[in-house]
Amino acid sequence: MARHPRLALPGYPHHVIQRGNNRQPIVLDEADRKMLYSLWLEESQRHKVAVNAYVLLDNHFHMLLTPPSDEAMSLMMQAVGRTYVRYFNQRHKRSGTLWEGRYKSSVIDSEAYLLTCMAYIDLNPVRAGLVESAEEFNWSSYKHLIGQKIDKLVTPHALYWGLGNTPFSREAAYAEFVAVGLSASIQKDLTESVLKSRVVGRPEFLKSLQKTTQTPILPKKAGRPFKKPL
């Protein structure tokens, strides 16, 4: 099966997902979680990639990343992946691959979908049935974004700052947004988009973005391609 082209654009938020091979665990305990987190922190700072949101579950993780250049996000993810696999295999006396192929990502139309994608990420443990509310889960960006802890990994997006004029108003507004939840159709669209490396955005956003890249973004028209008669 051909790979979907993976688009990476500087200054745009990207929804990223990485799964364990055959849905197997990528973390087995708190030490593993702390190691992966420390690598995210180190490599995001090294490559100047802003981590707008994240969640780490047992067999996969989601991140919302805004890179400063075309290659920064890829360099960050590759460095984390290589170092973490070596650590994980040595610590747990195993060999072979850990990841289910390369990471997948999709560009997000920030004006229309940024907060929705953040909520999608922070609500992942709730959808998985691990907790009843997002604030019960420790390995996500949610507690930072609602003011319950300071998380050095998280760099809130400008649109998050626009939720209020004070930290308290921003935190309360985001908590309220997440509490409302997401529709099943939005959840499905965000999931399918990242797995298929499809841009998430309004029609006008897609058209505008298509002018900046050779990678196909706009949906293909149905039917067979037109051929001029000989």
Side-chain angles (χ1 to χ4, degrees), residues 194-211:
V194 69
L195 294 178
K196 296 178 180 179
S197 298
R198 191 180 73 222
V199 177
V200 179
R202 300 157 296 172
E204 58 268 30
F205 177 78
L206 301 184
K207 290 178 182 178
S208 174
L209 207 59
Q210 186 64 85
K211 297 176 182 178

Side-chain angles (χ1 to χ4, degrees), residues 42-227:
E42 177 182 348
E43 295 300 334
S44 64
Q45 292 178 346
R46 175 179 299 175
H47 298 289
K48 297 179 171 58
V49 177
V51 180
N52 305 133
Y54 77 93
V55 67
L56 171 58
L57 284 85
D58 288 349
N59 64 359
H60 74 287
F61 63 79
H62 292 261
M63 306 186 89
L64 189 62
L65 304 177
T66 301
S69 64
D70 294 345
E71 71 280 358
M73 185 171 70
S74 178
L75 291 173
M76 170 193 163
M77 295 296 292
Q78 289 172 12
V80 169
R82 286 193 301 266
T83 304
Y84 184 72
V85 170
R86 285 198 300 271
Y87 153 85
F88 190 86
N89 284 353
Q90 289 173 3
R91 181 166 187 257
H92 298 293
K93 296 179 175 55
R94 67 182 298 278
S95 61
T97 185
L98 176 64
W99 309 116
E100 187 181 66
R102 61 180 190 162
Y103 72 90
K104 296 178 173 61
S105 66
S106 64
V107 177
I108 300 294
D109 176 357
S110 56
E111 292 292 334
Y113 288 96
L114 181 105
L115 293 174
T116 300
C117 190
M118 288 170 58
Y120 170 93
I121 290 171
D122 283 332
L123 283 168
N124 207 285
V126 178
R127 290 194 301 276
L130 301 176
V131 292
E132 292 187 2
S133 64
E135 64 186 278
E136 296 175 36
F137 195 75
N138 290 323
W139 291 95
S140 79
S141 48
Y142 185 69
K143 286 187 176 182
H144 178 88
L145 295 171
I146 64 169
Q148 287 193 0
K149 75 173 185 179
I150 296 175
D151 192 328
K152 294 180 180 180
L153 180 62
V154 182
T155 301
H157 191 276
L159 287 177
Y160 168 84
W161 288 100
L163 288 174
N165 294 323
T166 67
F168 177 80
S169 60
R170 287 189 291 271
E171 292 155 6
Y174 184 67
E176 183 177 350
F177 184 83
V178 172
V180 171
L182 303 175
S183 69
S185 61
I186 287 291
Q187 293 176 33
K188 180 181 179 182
D189 190 33
L190 287 170
T191 300
E192 291 183 351
S193 295
V194 69
L195 294 178
K196 296 178 180 179
S197 298
R198 191 180 73 222
V199 177
V200 179
R202 300 157 296 172
E204 58 268 30
F205 177 78
L206 301 184
K207 290 178 182 178
S208 174
L209 207 59
Q210 186 64 85
K211 297 176 182 178
T212 69
T213 178
Q214 298 295 318
T215 302
I217 292 175
L218 296 172
K220 294 182 179 180
K221 293 182 179 180
R224 295 180 178 177
F226 175 76
K227 292 183 179 180

